[in-house]
Amino acid sequence: MHRLYREEMNRERFRFFRVIHHESDLLVGVPHQQYAEDMEQAVELELIRLRQILLDYSEKVPGFLNSLHPIEEEEGAFHEEEVRIMMSCGQKTGTGPMASVAGLFAQQAGRMLLKTYGVMELVIENGGDLYLRNETNLVSVIHAGASSLSDKMAFVLPAGEWGICTSSGTLGHSFSEGKADALTIISTSAPLADAWATALANRVHSAADMQGILETVAGIPEIKGCAGIVENQVGIRGEIEVKLLTSDE
């Protein structure tokens, strides 16, 4: 799971609101001066739209919602953009389409707000996975459940558009074949970060596995940062700065 950059540390920077629709639970932060009262309804309508796309497609392809393996696109078939993104993420990472769903919903809701309201920055957390657009550095804390390293490290994200997604075999309700307390991936695509976090965390069964994971990450250009915590040991790889947090941060 990812803890939003510590929400309480960013209340001066963002106005937060929450939108829940079925399985989606979004915490949205936008600059105070750019908040509009109808944003919450707009996000809910976007979640309704996205969920309906997946339900409609699952009627055509029954395995779409529960497959743990990639699903091939049917040649010549029409797919909504969101379906194509999920299939592409699955094919790149070797996971089922739903491995990218939390990141996808956060990203699509965020991009809708950016386009509709012209906000300059925003951050959206969906079940611990993040999509953000920031103009200056933003700190994102790594949460790893009961691990002694939980909330002790954070990514320092430079200006850009980011997906920061975490898979855990010891925390949360999402399925993982591995035993990592937290395996966090950063990419410029939130759904791809989500799928890679799932795929790589599935391979972590002990601290001894982390070196191989970090070597794999080094060969994946879409991954800009990676941090794994397992058995109170940590592994870090990538171009994004990671900092240790002091008790007063």
Side-chain angles (χ1 to χ4, degrees):
M1 177 179 290
H2 227 73
R3 261 194 198 164
L4 207 73
Y5 33 76
R6 291 195 183 166
E7 179 187 343
E8 66 273 14
M9 291 174 59
N10 286 274
R11 288 193 178 277
E12 291 186 5
R13 183 167 178 174
F14 295 110
R15 160 78 178 266
F16 288 97
F17 60 90
R18 193 171 186 179
V19 179
I20 300 174
H21 180 70
H22 289 274
E23 300 86 355
S24 299
D25 183 354
L26 270 59
L27 180 65
V28 183
V30 298
H32 288 267
Q33 69 275 17
Q34 294 184 303
Y35 172 78
E37 290 185 358
D38 61 342
M39 281 182 173
E40 297 179 34
Q41 182 181 24
V43 171
E44 183 176 15
L45 290 174
E46 179 68 359
L47 292 178
I48 292 170
R49 183 187 74 86
L50 293 168
R51 187 172 187 272
Q52 193 60 51
I53 286 173
L54 301 193
L55 292 177
D56 290 346
Y57 192 75
S58 69
E59 292 182 0
K60 302 175 185 177
V61 182
F64 182 78
L65 296 180
N66 52 31
S67 175
L68 299 180
H69 305 285
I71 291 180
E72 297 293 332
E73 292 191 54
E74 298 177 18
E75 187 174 353
F78 171 78
H79 305 303
E80 297 280 0
E81 175 191 9
E82 288 79 8
V83 171
R84 292 198 302 272
I85 291 172
M86 294 174 73
M87 285 185 167
S88 174
C89 289
Q91 289 157 8
K92 288 180 179 179
T93 63
T95 60
M98 292 296 285
S100 60
V101 68
L104 175 77
F105 276 35
Q107 177 174 287
Q108 297 302 87
R111 287 180 174 176
M112 178 277 296
L113 289 174
L114 290 169
K115 180 179 179 180
T116 303
Y117 295 90
V119 295
M120 304 304 293
E121 291 192 309
L122 63 77
V123 58
I124 297 183
E125 177 185 353
N126 185 12
D129 293 321
L130 306 180
Y131 167 79
L132 65 93
R133 170 69 174 84
N134 56 312
E135 292 196 310
T136 58
N137 285 359
L138 187 63
V139 175
S140 181
V141 180
I142 301 170
H143 183 63
S147 170
S148 63
L149 296 171
S150 185
D151 299 336
K152 299 294 179 61
M153 298 185 304
F155 288 106
V156 181
L157 295 152
E161 183 181 42
W162 304 105
I164 309 99
C165 298
T166 300
S167 183
S168 173
T170 62
L171 178 68
H173 62 273
S174 297
F175 173 77
S176 176
E177 296 176 359
K179 300 297 183 183
D181 294 299
L183 195 288
T184 298
I185 297 295
I186 298 179
S187 175
T188 55
S189 162
L192 189 56
D194 198 1
W196 271 123
T198 298
L200 294 172
N202 283 343
R203 307 179 196 177
V204 179
H205 300 284
S206 71
D209 295 324
M210 276 306 304
Q211 183 59 39
I213 295 298
L214 297 179
E215 291 173 359
T216 297
V217 164
I220 303 172
E222 300 99 329
I223 295 179
K224 305 303 181 183
C226 170
I229 297 174
V230 58
E231 298 175 359
N232 290 325
Q233 296 188 45
V234 62
I236 298 170
R237 179 65 62 89
E239 57 195 65
I240 304 297
E241 178 188 352
V242 177
K243 63 180 284 188
L244 293 175
L245 298 176
T246 61
S247 59
D248 60 345
E249 286 188 280

